[in-house]
Amino acid sequence: MTRTILIDPVTRIEGHAKISIHLDAGGSVSAAHFHVGEFRGFEAFCVGRPFSEMAAITARICGICPVSHLLAAAKTSDQLLAVSIPPAAERLRRLMNLAQIIQSHALSFFHLSSPDFLLGWDSDPAQRNVFGLIAADPELARGGIRLRQFGQAVIERLGGRKIHPAWAVPGGVRSPLQPGDRDWIRSRLSEAVATTQGALELFKRLLDGPLAAEAGDFGDFPSLFLALVGPDDRWEHYGGQLRLIDSTGAPVGRDLPSDGLSPEQLDNLLAEAVEPWTYLKFPYYKPLGPEAGSYRVGPLARLNVCERIGHERADRELLELRQRGGRVVTSSFHYHLARLIEILAALEAIEALLDDPALSDSHVRAHAGVNAREAVGVSEAPRGTLFHHYKVDANGLIEAVNLIIATGQNNRAMNRTITQIARQHIQAGPAEAGPGDQLPEIAEGLLNRVEAGIRCFDPCLSCSTHAAGQMPLHVQLIGPEGEVLRERWRD
């Protein structure tokens, strides 16, 4: 006989989901499940459309990560054309992806997660949000807002709009960077770097103090890690090689090129498992099977897979991260620190790109017809490695689409993380307790920690599903006969 604790919806994530915590007959946590209940239909309604429209269509999957899908779709389309895009176009795409990393990571850290760190796990949920953060630390909140604005402004200056820019196209991009925009970006870099370094110092102090326990409680377990890696094993976000490592840092399988990854290579690399309680799939490394082959992607995976970032300030922070967590950092709580390090890396990479003469070239697009009937495009979204796989007919009309989303690739790790947190923090009585027996309190801070385990991964359910909005939080403790033993509402 069992009881179930239900958290519905999980708050401060992009999209809608719930968590159920299952207790065994002894009152211990047996498992925790992250449920995604909405269905994503993008793969189906893309069929029949020209592949040249896929960048604009798939960018509409999400208002948080449109650039990620824009670039993955454009890279897939490049392969269908069988062209090498002009050097200027490649650098401009990189510039937009760096801006996307900055704005998305800033949203995750400052808006969604820092209220937990700075206001407290047990604080009033009505105040534990960005508005409460503004009241408690207006300088930090203002810096985080401006940092995100900087990333969005770079996207807008390249693509004409902050959200859903129809700019990256098969064969390159629509327009080059204007000299005035280059000067504007350069003029804002110092403020963005100062904000990021200040946030890094603050968060590291918290890790050495009140947040020290979370590094061990929030999803600290061995797993595989998948990410792109560049030349000389540098940090990468757009091209390079796909690399899979284990928790000791040893490579698993062999590196595969991200540009020109064949459908056969992808099929041999990954498979997707399903569970009846969620629409979100469970990708895994195919040769090892669903359990042993589960892996993590995203900022922590990218920092684990690379040997160095290749920029001075970010490399110092990477060294310190490894001094804290080891050569391969396995605690999911360190995703937050990894995001801040990647913001700093992205700012330094933008600074270097602005000095690249090729960025000024007006030749930004190659033209060709359909030269391949199937292709895979790979890019690093802020949340992790993103795959677009298309099949087309002789006229370039889409016959099949498969999108392997970063949030899905972290799915098994998210479930393991919340199970670990629940076992550490939720204590309940025996499942066969009668109505007069003492029932466990559903404490706000305990439930918030379980939710925060999901926020470590910054899941984007608008990408992995089609989000249906938000609703008040309703938590129920349900007895073995389905009766509600205790409940809690969050308005």
Side-chain angles (χ1 to χ4, degrees):
M1 306 300 283
T2 63
R3 284 184 178 142
T4 301
I5 297 174
L6 184 67
I7 304 175
D8 181 11
V10 181
T11 58
R12 281 183 283 133
I13 62 174
E14 291 91 15
H16 175 77
K18 68 180 181 181
I19 292 171
S20 64
I21 302 167
H22 303 269
L23 311 177
D24 62 21
S28 299
V29 173
S30 60
H33 291 158
F34 180 56
H35 304 262
V36 179
E38 284 79 34
F39 175 70
R40 183 183 71 230
F42 275 83
E43 293 167 331
F45 67 63
C46 289
V47 173
R49 306 300 297 266
F51 79 90
S52 57
E53 296 181 358
M54 289 298 289
I57 291 173
T58 58
R60 266 69 181 176
I61 290 174
C62 178
I64 302 297
C65 338
V67 169
S68 304
H69 292 287
L70 181 77
L71 295 181
K75 291 187 73 176
T76 312
S77 299
D78 297 341
Q79 303 302 322
L80 294 173
L81 298 179
V83 298
S84 296
I85 68 172
E90 189 264 350
R91 287 160 177 77
L92 288 166
R93 287 184 183 179
R94 284 181 171 274
L95 181 59
M96 182 174 275
N97 204 36
L98 292 166
Q100 163 76 352
I101 289 171
I102 292 167
Q103 72 88 13
S104 181
H105 283 357
L107 172 66
S108 174
F109 182 82
F110 291 95
H111 294 63
L112 303 182
S113 292
S114 67
D116 292 327
F117 312 147
L118 300 172
L119 304 180
W121 302 106
D122 300 286
S123 59
D124 182 357
Q127 302 298 321
R128 195 176 58 230
N129 50 46
V130 69
F131 300 106
L133 181 63
I134 290 171
D137 194 335
E139 183 176 350
L140 178 70
R142 177 180 179 274
I145 291 169
R146 285 183 59 82
L147 184 60
R148 185 175 185 229
Q149 286 177 334
F150 169 76
Q152 290 178 309
V154 174
I155 293 170
E156 183 178 29
R157 287 173 179 267
L158 286 168
R161 54 195 303 178
K162 297 176 183 177
I163 301 175
H164 308 318
W167 176 72
V169 291
V173 300
R174 293 188 185 276
S175 57
L177 179 67
Q178 300 302 313
D181 292 330
R182 183 200 295 252
D183 295 340
W184 182 91
I185 296 169
R186 197 190 304 274
S187 72
R188 300 308 196 273
L189 282 172
S190 61
E191 178 190 346
V193 168
T195 296
T196 306
Q197 289 184 314
L200 272 164
E201 293 307 313
L202 171 62
F203 189 63
K204 287 187 290 186
R205 288 197 300 271
L206 293 173
L207 282 175
D208 293 333
L211 296 179
E214 276 69 23
D217 293 345
F218 279 53
D220 191 2
F221 49 80
S223 75
L224 307 180
F225 292 90
L226 176 70
L228 294 176
V229 64
D232 302 321
D233 299 328
R234 292 196 307 268
W235 175 76
E236 183 55 80
H237 62 95
Y238 176 81
Q241 305 280 316
L242 277 168
R243 176 169 297 171
L244 187 69
I245 63 168
D246 64 19
S247 56
T248 72
V252 178
R254 61 185 181 88
D255 291 356
L256 295 172
S258 65
D259 293 328
L261 178 69
S262 71
E264 292 78 13
Q265 288 174 317
L266 179 62
D267 185 59
N268 291 331
L269 180 70
L270 302 180
E272 296 177 281
V274 296
E275 294 287 352
W277 40 266
T278 181
Y279 281 117
L280 190 57
K281 297 178 182 179
F282 293 81
Y284 61 92
Y285 177 58
K286 195 171 183 178
L288 293 182
E291 291 293 335
S294 67
Y295 60 92
R296 283 178 269 186
V297 296
L300 188 63
R302 288 189 288 263
L303 296 187
N304 279 336
V305 164
C306 75
E307 290 298 327
R308 62 190 180 93
I309 293 175
H311 301 289
E312 182 180 358
R313 286 170 289 202
D315 272 326
R316 286 199 299 267
E317 297 296 339
L318 177 61
L319 177 62
E320 188 171 338
L321 170 68
R322 291 173 175 172
Q323 290 170 342
R324 289 177 178 274
R327 171 58 187 83
V328 176
V329 181
T330 57
S331 170
S332 297
F333 195 71
H334 283 309
Y335 268 90
H336 299 300
L337 184 54
R339 283 187 191 92
L340 292 174
I341 295 172
E342 283 204 321
I343 293 175
L344 187 60
L347 292 167
E348 291 186 279
I350 287 175
E351 185 176 30
L353 268 176
L354 294 178
D355 293 328
D356 190 332
L359 202 66
S360 303
D361 197 327
S362 60
H363 178 47
V364 294
R365 186 173 185 180
H367 295 273
V370 176
N371 288 303
R373 300 284 291 273
E374 189 174 2
V376 177
V378 187
S379 186
E380 287 287 343
R383 288 151 188 84
T385 315
L386 173 62
F387 298 88
H388 278 214
H389 179 194
Y390 306 158
K391 295 180 181 179
V392 301
D393 65 15
N395 298 312
L397 298 180
I398 294 288
E399 293 183 328
V401 174
N402 187 35
L403 309 177
I404 305 179
I405 309 296
T407 294
Q409 294 170 80
N410 280 329
N411 196 8
R412 197 169 299 278
M414 289 191 289
N415 282 272
R416 291 185 66 181
T417 294
I418 60 175
T419 299
Q420 186 180 78
I421 296 169
R423 286 173 176 163
Q424 179 71 23
H425 290 281
I426 294 180
Q427 304 298 322
E432 63 270 21
D437 295 325
Q438 181 66 38
L439 296 174
E441 287 292 335
I442 304 176
E444 173 63 37
L446 299 185
L447 296 178
N448 188 39
R449 281 178 168 85
V450 176
E451 289 189 54
I454 295 297
R455 288 194 288 270
C456 289
F457 296 89
D458 189 25
C460 190
L461 306 182
S462 302
C463 288
S464 59
T465 67
H466 189 65
Q470 296 292 340
M471 59 183 285
L473 175 64
H474 185 200
V475 182
Q476 292 181 318
L477 183 65
I478 302 173
E481 304 302 324
E483 72 276 20
V484 177
L485 302 175
R486 189 181 295 280
E487 63 183 339
R488 182 184 180 121
W489 291 87
R490 178 185 294 163
D491 293 328

